[in-house]
Amino acid sequence: MRRILPRPLPHALSLLALSALIVGCGGAKEDTPTPPPPVQPGPLAVGFTSPVAANNVHDVASAIPLQVNVTINGNPAPNGTPVSLTTNSISASLAPTVPTTLGGAATSVLNSNVIGPVVVNATVTSTTHSANESLKLYIRPVRKPLELLVPAYFSAAKDSPWTTLVSGAKSYPDVKITAIMNPNGGVLTSTTTANTDLATAMASLKTANGKVVAYVSTLYGNGARSEADIKATIDKYLELYPTLDGFFIDEMASGSNRLAHYQAIYTYIKGKPRDPGVPALVVIGNPGIYPDQAYADATDALTTFEGTAAAFQALDPQQSSNTWVYSLANTSQAMLVHSASTCTAMQDSLKHANKARTNTGLVFTTDETSVRTVTKLPAYWIQLLGTVDAMNKGGTLPAC
């Protein structure tokens, strides 16, 4: 008897129908996104790799790129590992707040609209471990262009360095120059007549958009020069040179025990009447080091460094716990550098001043061995002007 085998076709059709039904129910969609892998158990390590520690000062309202590296068991974390970022400031924002890793690194951008310190925290957790790291940044006012503060203690006679000073100001009109005049060693109580050469030089510099402040000796507020004597010198300066733009208060103390003395001088100068439309008199103090923070309220600018070019390269406000300078505009700090014997040394000093971490906007270097006895402009005067101009404009520095 012949056996009749069952047909396979209906069964195959049934399987096809069942497959279609499964697909129709969404059981085999190919475009379903793959969820990020869970953080694997194991020892975690997290650390900021950008910005680096030396670059922890930034302008307000600027975008600050952040990068956080994550390792698990010493190896880069799997792609997609989430990193939670937070800050201690309600005025700072992060985008994104929970970046995920790629090649072991997660990136975000910080922006702060308020001047002051900001701490960013990064946290990574797994089923067995947790790790976190903090980064402290300082937000400063937006950088202003560098300006020159020139100790013009030399003669103002015909063809003197004042002539070169004025000529340079005309050649670089975009570089602001403030000259410090010093006709009598900072004491004018017994002087009755103006130095006509100096008055002429002052007028020429001001015509070239420069400014002139007068040197005042204070002998560190130790009582050797009384407050009354200092005020008398200020009055005499304004009597003899009425177009002055302000005063350079030299030999300024730095401790809080002398603060009241300098606050009184500052208030006295600021109280001097000015014609309508004429800016108030400027007060630049020179302790030559970082003083007590309150001195910033007794001046418009502080000379926080006076010394050699070599020593200036080591200057770091953070190493001396003077981060309060980041609350001030860079033009609220000055440096007077001597013994910058070459053009290259001058440019290195200006580069250091221009760093956000140094935050110094009033600058001067000389190839002489002291700024207290300056007798001439440095041999690289034109390159000094050109260097400031190029730094302000983001151009190529002049050749040395």
Side-chain angles (χ1 to χ4, degrees):
M1 176 183 291
R2 187 177 62 179
R3 295 177 63 191
I4 300 175
L5 297 174
R7 293 181 177 180
L9 185 57
H11 180 64
L13 291 173
S14 298
L15 290 175
L16 288 172
L18 180 60
S19 297
L21 180 61
I22 292 173
V23 172
C25 292
K29 281 188 176 180
E30 295 182 0
D31 59 351
T32 301
T34 303
V39 178
Q40 300 299 314
L44 292 168
V46 56
F48 286 91
T49 55
S50 180
V52 297
N55 186 30
N56 65 350
V57 181
H58 297 266
D59 289 0
V60 67
S62 63
I64 307 170
L66 304 175
Q67 179 171 299
V68 182
N69 277 16
V70 183
T71 61
I72 302 176
N73 289 313
N75 299 310
N79 292 347
T81 299
V83 179
S84 176
L85 297 176
T86 59
T87 79
N88 67 335
S89 172
I90 61 173
S91 300
S93 62
L94 291 158
T97 56
V98 187
T100 56
T101 58
L102 178 63
T107 60
S108 184
V109 175
L110 172 73
N111 193 299
S112 177
N113 293 317
V114 173
I115 295 164
V118 174
V119 177
V120 183
N121 297 295
T123 303
V124 179
T125 58
S126 71
T127 55
T128 58
H129 292 79
S130 179
N132 62 77
E133 179 72 5
S134 295
L135 174 69
K136 189 171 187 178
L137 301 173
Y138 296 93
I139 309 301
R140 68 168 184 168
V142 174
R143 174 196 178 276
K144 294 182 179 180
L146 296 179
E147 303 178 19
L148 281 171
L149 178 64
V150 182
Y153 303 159
F154 28 74
S155 166
K158 184 180 179 181
D159 299 326
S160 75
W162 273 93
T163 303
T164 307
L165 177 63
V166 173
S167 175
K170 292 178 178 178
S171 298
Y172 288 90
D174 295 332
V175 177
K176 293 184 179 180
I177 299 175
T178 298
I180 309 169
M181 58 175 276
N182 184 12
N184 292 79
V187 182
L188 264 71
T189 49
S190 61
T191 303
T192 58
T193 58
N195 181 317
T196 55
D197 289 334
L198 183 56
T200 300
M202 287 176 55
S204 297
L205 182 60
K206 290 175 71 67
T207 300
N209 294 320
K211 295 182 179 180
V212 182
V213 295
Y215 181 97
V216 177
S217 168
T218 66
L219 296 178
Y220 307 99
N222 60 12
R225 286 214 67 205
S226 69
E227 184 179 316
D229 286 344
I230 293 169
K231 290 178 178 179
T233 288
I234 290 167
D235 290 342
K236 183 61 70 171
Y237 264 127
L238 292 174
E239 175 189 334
L240 301 180
Y241 307 98
T243 61
L244 277 170
D245 296 289
F247 294 91
F248 182 77
I249 309 300
D250 197 25
E251 302 165 329
M252 177 176 268
S254 59
S256 59
N257 60 326
R258 296 286 187 264
L259 179 60
H261 176 70
Y262 289 97
Q263 285 177 327
I265 295 170
Y266 176 79
T267 301
Y268 187 74
I269 293 172
K270 289 297 184 179
K272 290 297 179 181
R274 303 288 276 171
D275 291 336
V278 177
L281 292 165
V282 173
V283 180
I284 303 173
N286 181 28
I289 59 174
Y290 292 110
D292 185 279
Q293 179 177 351
Y295 278 80
D297 295 325
T299 57
D300 297 305
L302 282 165
T303 305
T304 51
F305 181 87
E306 181 182 324
T308 68
F312 184 63
Q313 288 299 316
L315 186 74
D316 183 351
Q318 295 181 38
Q319 290 184 355
S320 53
S321 300
N322 286 295
T323 56
W324 55 268
V325 300
Y326 302 132
S327 66
L328 307 174
N330 62 322
T331 49
S332 293
Q333 272 199 101
M335 62 80 143
L336 298 175
V337 167
H338 62 78
S339 304
S341 57
T342 66
C343 172
T344 299
M346 171 271 290
Q347 290 186 339
D348 288 343
S349 294
L350 265 57
K351 289 175 185 176
H352 189 65
N354 199 38
K355 292 177 182 176
R357 190 174 177 113
T358 312
N359 197 44
T360 300
L362 299 180
V363 298
F364 180 74
T365 70
T366 179
D367 46 9
E368 296 191 70
T369 57
S370 172
V371 293
R372 293 184 174 275
T373 56
V374 170
T375 59
K376 57 184 176 58
L377 291 169
Y380 46 69
W381 169 244
I382 296 302
Q383 289 99 325
L384 174 58
L385 285 163
T387 298
V388 171
D389 192 51
M391 285 185 172
N392 288 343
K393 297 175 180 177
T396 302
L397 302 189
C400 285

